[in-house]
Amino acid sequence: MASAVSLLLLSPSRPLHGAGLLRGPRRGALLPLPGPAQAPRRRLLALAPPPRASNNNDNSGAVEAPDRLVAAVAYLYPFLDGAHHGRFLLAQFPFFSALLRPLAPAARLFHSSPLTPFLLFLTLYFAVVRNQQAFSRFVRFNAMQAVALDVLLIFPDLLAQSFAPSGGVGFEIFQSMESTVFLFLLVCLVYGGGACLLGKTPRLPIVADAAERQVM
């Protein structure tokens, strides 16, 4: 009996496997339930408003005021270059003359020299459209639309020089054609310039796709 007790005292201690008090924590133990301190946080998350969906079509807040002004002024170039197509319409309806009277100083400056339209063309294309570092894409796209619109004026100009009847049905057709070109330029000026001032991107018929291909 004494030898058995001595063997128990001298032998190294072993962990007991039967007692639950000496058992370590289990890996699958449940976490403690949230206390009352986390309740205000849950209430704040529940009261938070849902995020609003962004409207990518409305970029008026992203365009700065100087860019809007420069883009709108660019549409004056094709209108002033093709204003002579409205001579019949202005003579028949003086209302248009009174409406366009504020543009008279710009028209006199534009036609002050035969080289002015050509120099403005080079300035718009090389100094604005191709200048990615100085101007935003908004300005360059609208300037390219104005340049492309001015290029289209070559066709009515050539037609007016080669086909200019003095009377009859041909003269009436010629008047209608000239007035149509002038009204188209006027609509492009009002629509393009107004949209630019509002921070919107106007897309003019015929020239919008060509401007997209030129502006990177």
Side-chain angles (χ1 to χ4, degrees):
M1 185 71 179
S3 62
V5 173
S6 62
L7 288 175
L8 290 175
L9 293 177
L10 294 176
S11 62
S13 61
R14 296 179 181 178
L16 298 177
H17 299 285
L21 296 176
L22 299 178
R23 185 177 300 173
R26 298 180 180 178
R27 294 183 179 180
L30 297 177
L31 296 176
L33 296 176
Q38 298 183 3
R41 182 179 180 184
R42 290 190 173 183
R43 294 194 188 99
L44 291 177
L45 293 176
L47 295 177
R52 296 181 179 180
S54 60
N55 187 5
N56 295 329
N57 295 329
D58 186 8
N59 59 348
S60 58
V63 182
E64 298 180 355
D67 292 344
R68 300 184 189 188
L69 183 60
V70 173
V73 171
Y75 288 102
L76 281 174
Y77 170 65
F79 177 77
L80 295 177
D81 197 17
H84 60 277
H85 292 286
R87 58 186 182 273
F88 300 110
L89 188 65
L90 296 178
Q92 188 175 0
F93 300 98
F95 169 74
F96 286 99
S97 299
L99 183 64
L100 300 175
R101 192 169 299 167
L103 299 179
R108 287 193 295 266
L109 181 63
F110 185 84
H111 296 286
S112 60
S113 173
L115 295 177
T116 302
F118 181 68
L119 293 178
L120 286 178
F121 177 86
L122 296 179
T123 302
L124 279 177
Y125 186 75
F126 290 103
V128 179
V129 176
R130 293 300 182 183
N131 195 350
Q132 300 183 12
Q133 298 179 353
F135 296 98
S136 63
R137 190 185 186 278
F138 178 81
V139 175
R140 293 185 292 110
F141 173 76
N142 287 282
M144 188 60 218
Q145 283 199 130
V147 170
L149 188 61
D150 186 72
V151 172
L152 289 180
L153 291 177
I154 296 176
F155 300 101
D157 288 342
L158 292 176
L159 187 60
Q161 294 176 4
S162 59
F163 178 74
S166 58
V169 181
F171 182 70
E172 294 179 359
I173 296 176
F174 178 72
Q175 282 185 330
S176 300
M177 183 195 67
E178 290 284 277
S179 300
T180 301
V181 173
F182 176 77
L183 289 176
F184 177 72
L185 293 175
L186 181 61
V187 170
C188 291
L189 172 63
V190 175
Y191 168 67
C196 289
L197 292 177
L198 294 176
K200 311 293 183 179
T201 302
R203 293 187 61 87
L204 301 181
I206 305 174
V207 299
D209 294 336
E212 286 281 359
R213 289 191 294 267
Q214 291 292 327
V215 177
M216 302 303 293

